Amino acid sequence: MNQTPLILSTWRFGQIANRAGWAILSQGGNALDAAEAGCRAVEEDPSVTSVGFGGYPDAAGEVTLDALIMAAPHRCGAVACVRNYLPAISIARRVMEKTPHVLLVGPGAEAFAAAEGFPQRSLLTREAREAWQRWKQEHGGNIFDKHSGDNSLAQDAHDTIGVLALDVEGRIAGGCSTSGLPFKLPGRVGDSPLVGHGLYVDPEVGGAVGTGHGELIMRVCGTFLIVEEMRKGSSPTAAIKTALERINRQCRPNPRQQAAFIALRRDGEWSAGCLRKGFQVAVRSAKVDTLMEPPLVLMDGE
């Protein structure tokens, strides 16, 4: 059933994203603008410890951001390992619109952000610094500790904000942004800024966003797999189930690792699913504004 316009976002803080995106969609605005606005709103919120300003730093104490925005295979842009610039999702959009490239990383991405007029700023809040200092004390200051980047060690560290939007013209776009796993090894990049991993959108079919433990999603090209399953005729729920089953079968996730997806077909049918309980999806349309458990939990009994 077509519910245009519609916006879906990952986790509880997806309601922040939906509020910003809906302000655009409800006025007849473009899905790409809505996806960017949704991610940007979460990046700017210091209470979200896994995205943008306020995100937990890496093991060396630096906050590094990854982001991807996409409307089609020929319209996508991303940045990874960006320090001291915000919002990463908007820098990613400039990569898409102003360069022939898809992904810029590290100092090169930062230089590009500066050239595009983004102001430099500190992203490490007092709360995030204190959390890092506690972690460092627990691990003896060894940034190469085997537990670096174990997101089970940081309470409520939920990872990516992922957004899928469908506008009144039937256009689909998506965005995702993250500061990555808390206390990760310096230089670590997950699935979020990689096309076909953290996000994939094909306007002929639909889109999908992944969240959770990025290493799981990267190993199966999770969002590309979901979109391809929908291309073959699968429902969003069935397509997500295929990706989750492949992760569970081939990637050997430990009991603390999560993988979750949202998927949206071009006709407005959508779904969400996760490896195990804990994930939530925020949904907003002209008729609905809610936070809900996903229709699919692969290991419901765990």
Side-chain angles (χ1 to χ4, degrees), residues 39 42-44 48-58 62-68 78-92 103-106 109-110 121-124 176-180 184 188-190 192-193:
C39 290
V42 179
E43 285 194 49
E44 293 282 2
V48 181
T49 60
S50 57
V51 179
F53 179 62
Y56 282 168
D58 63 19
E62 284 196 303
V63 178
T64 59
L65 306 183
D66 308 326
L68 166 63
V79 292
C81 216
V82 171
R83 302 162 300 172
N84 301 316
Y85 289 93
L86 200 74
I89 193 69
S90 297
I91 303 170
L103 175 64
L104 297 181
V105 304
E110 294 159 7
R121 57 188 284 193
S122 173
L123 304 179
L124 187 66
C176 56
S177 180
T178 187
S179 55
K184 62 195 176 185
R188 181 267 185 185
V189 173
S192 297

Side-chain angles (χ1 to χ4, degrees), residues 25-39:
L25 293 176
S26 62
Q27 300 300 312
N30 189 287
L32 189 67
D33 295 334
E36 180 187 6
C39 290

Side-chain angles (χ1 to χ4, degrees), residues 112-187:
F112 175 75
E116 285 296 307
F118 289 89
Q120 194 170 27
R121 57 188 284 193
S122 173
L123 304 179
L124 187 66
T125 63
R126 178 177 58 83
E127 292 80 6
R129 181 185 294 109
E130 290 174 352
W132 169 67
Q133 289 170 340
R134 289 193 300 271
W135 176 87
K136 189 167 63 167
Q137 288 175 353
E138 293 169 1
H139 295 81
N142 179 14
I143 67 170
F144 296 107
D145 184 276
K146 66 180 180 179
H147 294 299
S148 296
D150 184 343
N151 62 349
S152 68
L153 300 179
Q155 187 175 6
D156 297 327
H158 279 157
D159 202 3
T160 311
I161 176 63
V163 179
L164 293 173
L166 179 63
D167 63 30
V168 293
E169 300 296 328
R171 295 169 296 209
I172 293 179
C176 56
S177 180
T178 187
S179 55
L181 296 178
F183 322 128
K184 62 195 176 185
L185 288 175

Side-chain angles (χ1 to χ4, degrees), residues 2-13:
N2 198 322
Q3 294 179 297
T4 56
L6 171 69
I7 185 166
L8 311 170
S9 298
T10 56
W11 304 109
R12 179 177 295 276
F13 48 70

Side-chain angles (χ1 to χ4, degrees), residues 1 62 93-94 172 178 196 216 233 268 274:
M1 182 175 63
E62 284 196 303
R93 184 167 180 176
R94 297 287 182 88
I172 293 179
T178 187
L216 297 179
C274 52

